[in-house]
Amino acid sequence: MGFAAERAVAVTAAVFVVVMTMVLEPAVAAVYKVGDAAGWTTIGGVDYKQWAATKTFQPGDVIVFEYNAKFHNVMRVTHGMYKSCNVSDPIETHSSGNDTITIQTRGHHFFLCGVPGHCQAGQKVDINVQRLASTTVAPEPSALASPAVPLAHTPAAQAPKATAPRLSTGFWLLLSALSVLAFA
């Protein structure tokens, strides 16, 4: 096999590896502690709407609710229930005090505290996983419904707040392959 043929095989193999890595390995998930240092509470005037607005959530991200289980809980609800603070028929209820929820789908994911008066006091959050990466303003939550796909619930783990940008391994492999080809 000549040099040109060997190089073509190497390039094809490199492209195949990069494509497969990008398809099979999603970007590293971020971990977000709801309310940051304050956690999930009614004390301290945490503005969960503002907190969520400063985040860029992606499928696979982990949302951690830390709270005193004697005084709070976490309920995943529909959009209508979220708006009216209705806790009569939640999609999921968590009550460990350290609940770790992995977001699996795009769209809005609505959570609130089911203790009487807490949601009305502002203890509710809309985790909006954008459908497309864009700089346009997202529609108001009232226009969207909570997805029907359930979220995975994993055992609680202490997790730091993530703020680093996501770059998948596939992206780095693609850059590496292109730089090898450029200097070959």
Side-chain angles (χ1 to χ4, degrees):
M1 191 183 304
F3 176 75
E6 288 177 9
R7 183 170 177 177
V9 168
V11 168
T12 303
V15 169
F16 177 77
V17 168
V18 169
V19 169
M20 291 307 294
T21 302
M22 291 170 68
V23 169
L24 297 176
E25 184 178 333
V28 176
V31 176
Y32 296 98
K33 179 181 171 188
V34 177
D36 294 327
W40 186 238
T41 184
T42 54
I43 300 171
V46 179
D47 184 343
Y48 292 105
K49 184 176 183 175
Q50 178 61 33
W51 174 85
T54 65
K55 312 295 185 261
T56 304
F57 300 106
Q58 298 292 322
D61 285 352
V62 177
I63 311 301
V64 178
F65 290 87
E66 288 184 5
Y67 56 93
N68 185 330
K70 292 180 184 179
F71 303 109
H72 304 286
N73 62 28
V74 176
M75 292 182 168
R76 179 171 174 242
V77 296
T78 65
H79 182 241
M81 295 172 72
Y82 174 84
K83 283 178 60 174
S84 65
C85 291
N86 177 349
V87 298
S88 64
D89 189 23
I91 297 167
E92 294 178 347
T93 301
H94 306 275
S95 57
S96 74
N98 191 6
D99 303 317
T100 302
I101 300 168
T102 302
I103 301 299
Q104 304 262 330
T105 60
R106 297 189 182 280
H108 290 263
H109 303 272
F110 302 102
F111 299 93
L112 54 78
C113 181
V115 174
H118 288 201
C119 177
Q120 292 84 348
Q123 194 175 7
K124 61 183 188 175
V125 65
D126 172 5
I127 305 296
N128 184 9
V129 181
Q130 296 291 323
R131 297 198 181 280
L132 298 172
S134 80
T135 56
T136 59
V137 177
E140 285 298 311
S142 61
L144 303 169
S146 182
V149 179
L151 299 175
H153 180 82
T154 55
Q158 198 69 324
K161 177 181 72 169
T163 57
R166 302 170 230 282
L167 294 176
S168 71
T169 303
F171 174 78
W172 291 113
L173 283 173
L174 178 61
L175 280 179
S176 298
L178 291 174
S179 61
V180 166
L181 292 174
F183 293 107

